[in-house]
Amino acid sequence: MVQSTDRHNSKKEVKDELVEKLVHVNRVAKTVKGGRTMSFAAVVVVGDQKGRIGFGSGKAAEVPEAIVKATNEAKKNMIRIPLREGRTLHHDVAGRFGAGKVVLRTAPAGTGVIAGGPMRAVFEVLGVQDVVAKSLGSNNPYNMIKATFAALQAINSPRMVATKRGKKVGDIVSRRENTTGKEVKEEA
């Protein structure tokens, strides 16, 4: 019995370190024979602020139930995103989903999260501290989040690039000197 209690406590610890952020709640109405039935749709983003993130949407007759459904779906669909120095992205990237288009750019330390609406919630739960993001096209929160996830999944870390090319990480990110004596960053 003691072992099962320890297992349950470890599960609670894992759940406690996840940060949940409610992005959007929408009231939707369905017209039926007797009139309209109201329900609520919620979009939630969940992350551990260390590079793992997921999103989900849920629909129910009451707002709290919709949030719980969305949170459970977000926890099921978590992915890992490589971060540079644990604070920003490795390179600039664009993402698209439907009419939603986003552009994500790396930023120097101290810049902060410059992003609007749903994208800001994604970066806060992801653990990104310095990023500049712009949403182009649709301002629908569902499409903006899906476009942001498409962009994040397109990010390649130097380790991933090195394994694809069959080289060492040091060869990919190393600096070399050119003939003038100035340091030049080698292209990845």
Side-chain angles (χ1 to χ4, degrees):
M1 281 223 174
V2 175
Q3 291 175 347
S4 64
T5 308
D6 292 338
R7 273 190 266 153
H8 291 298
N9 289 340
S10 64
K11 285 182 181 178
K12 286 182 182 177
E13 289 172 10
V14 171
K15 289 180 182 178
D16 289 345
E17 67 186 40
L18 293 178
V19 178
E20 303 168 5
K21 227 175 191 38
L22 178 64
V23 177
H24 185 72
V25 176
N26 191 24
R27 190 182 79 190
V28 292
K30 178 182 174 185
T31 306
V32 292
K33 185 178 177 184
R36 290 185 186 155
T37 57
M38 299 290 179
S39 61
F40 296 90
V43 181
V44 173
V45 180
V46 174
D48 66 353
Q49 296 185 329
K50 295 174 188 160
R52 282 184 54 218
I53 188 164
F55 78 96
S57 58
K59 199 168 162 188
E62 299 294 326
V63 176
E65 294 170 15
I67 293 171
V68 168
K69 285 183 181 180
T71 304
N72 290 339
E73 185 182 332
K75 288 178 183 176
K76 284 182 202 170
N77 301 328
M78 291 190 80
I79 58 172
R80 179 162 296 286
I81 306 297
L83 299 178
R84 182 175 13 146
E85 300 166 4
R87 63 165 191 84
T88 189
L89 308 175
H90 281 284
H91 55 84
D92 299 354
V93 66
R96 180 178 184 142
F97 184 86
K101 298 176 206 111
V102 296
V103 177
L104 314 179
R105 303 197 63 188
T106 62
T111 303
V113 176
I114 301 175
M119 285 194 297
R120 177 175 284 277
V122 169
F123 294 129
E124 286 175 357
V125 300
L126 181 59
V128 174
Q129 297 159 0
D130 302 305
V131 69
V132 177
K134 179 69 180 166
S135 169
L136 309 166
S138 174
N139 62 355
N140 178 345
Y142 291 90
N143 287 346
M144 282 177 66
I145 287 178
K146 288 179 181 178
T148 305
F149 269 75
L152 290 172
Q153 287 177 325
I155 291 177
N156 290 320
S157 69
R159 181 177 290 148
M160 293 164 67
V161 173
T163 55
K164 283 181 185 174
R165 294 185 186 176
K167 295 186 176 185
K168 296 178 183 172
V169 177
D171 297 338
I172 302 292
V173 293
S174 67
R175 293 178 178 261
R176 60 182 168 84
E177 282 193 25
N178 65 7
T179 55
T180 59
K182 293 181 182 176
E183 271 193 358
V184 177
K185 196 174 192 181
E186 190 174 294
E187 291 184 22

